[in-house]
Amino acid sequence: NKGGEMENQEIKKEEKKEKKDLNLSEYAFNLIDFTKYPIFVRSSKKDKRKEYTYHIQEKEIEITMTISNPSRLPGLEEKRVWIWIMKKFADYLKETGEIPKSIPYTSYEILSFWGKNIKSGKKYLNIWKALDTLSKTFIKLVIKNNNPTSQIKEVKDQFNLIYRIKQTEINEET
């Protein structure tokens, strides 16, 4: 049954492609694994630091990360919003198999996710402040490889935690 063999080969090719795409998606998450590094360092409202640098030495690899923000470093509220964003990102990727270009949201959705009081106007303001802080937080990463046999000696990268926030008003006609 030559037709059946060709169909099986096509299915295997698709499965292999899907697996390859999945590996690329997993790799995208590994590129910015903030669970190991102190990105959300502001400990209280009184913490006025605008920059934080730390160094990690792992065998022959030396990592220097500088977190900066013109107004304040990210703290617990920003961490909560970041975790929600990552969950939305992962859910979208799982449902569609694609990396989202943007993540639609409501403050209500974020507050509900964390079980926060959704009737408090201050909580909504805190969500907006957290998103604003994340969008203005800049990360500079330098990775040095001190292994003398390695061809790659240094990698540098710079990025914001969130590229842009777009606020949209929804007008409902009754």
Side-chain angles (χ1 to χ4, degrees), residues 84 88 92 100 102-106 109:
W84 177 85
K88 281 287 275 195
Y92 185 89
S102 65
I103 298 175
Y105 72 94
T106 64
E109 190 177 3

Side-chain angles (χ1 to χ4, degrees), residues 42-49 71-73 75-77 122-123 126 129:
R42 187 173 37 85
S43 56
S44 71
K45 291 181 181 180
K46 294 178 183 178
D47 188 344
K48 303 295 183 199
R49 292 179 294 170
S71 54
R72 66 182 191 167
L73 292 174
L76 181 60
E77 199 66 37
K122 186 176 180 181
K123 296 287 184 190
N126 288 344
K129 284 181 181 177

Side-chain angles (χ1 to χ4, degrees), residues 11-26:
I11 291 171
K12 286 180 183 180
K13 281 182 186 178
E14 278 298 312
E15 287 173 352
K16 193 174 183 179
K17 184 181 182 293
E18 286 176 14
K19 191 173 182 178
K20 183 179 179 184
D21 289 346
L22 180 61
N23 289 339
L24 288 173
S25 301
E26 289 171 359

Side-chain angles (χ1 to χ4, degrees), residues 78-137:
E78 289 79 12
K79 186 175 186 175
R80 285 184 180 137
V81 171
W82 182 257
I83 290 169
W84 177 85
I85 289 169
M86 291 296 101
K87 182 187 179 325
K88 281 287 275 195
F89 184 95
D91 289 350
Y92 185 89
L93 183 64
K94 186 177 180 181
E95 287 174 22
T96 66
E98 297 176 6
I99 294 175
K101 289 183 172 56
S102 65
I103 298 175
Y105 72 94
T106 64
S107 297
Y108 174 86
E109 190 177 3
I110 298 170
L111 289 171
S112 297
F113 176 78
W114 286 103
K116 297 289 184 184
N117 180 357
I118 56 174
K119 294 182 181 179
S120 168
K122 186 176 180 181
K123 296 287 184 190
Y124 285 89
L125 182 60
N126 288 344
I127 293 295
W128 179 252
K129 284 181 181 177
L131 285 164
D132 186 55
T133 298
L134 288 171
S135 71
K136 293 176 182 172
T137 299

Side-chain angles (χ1 to χ4, degrees), residues 27-41:
Y27 184 65
F29 279 104
N30 291 335
L31 286 174
I32 310 172
D33 179 7
F34 292 136
T35 59
K36 289 174 69 175
Y37 309 109
I39 301 297
F40 306 97
V41 295

Side-chain angles (χ1 to χ4, degrees), residues 155-170:
V155 176
K156 294 181 181 182
D157 198 4
Q158 305 178 89
F159 52 90
N160 287 74
L161 288 176
I162 296 178
Y163 173 67
R164 178 176 58 132
I165 305 169
K166 183 178 179 182
Q167 189 174 22
T168 306
E169 288 187 30
I170 299 173

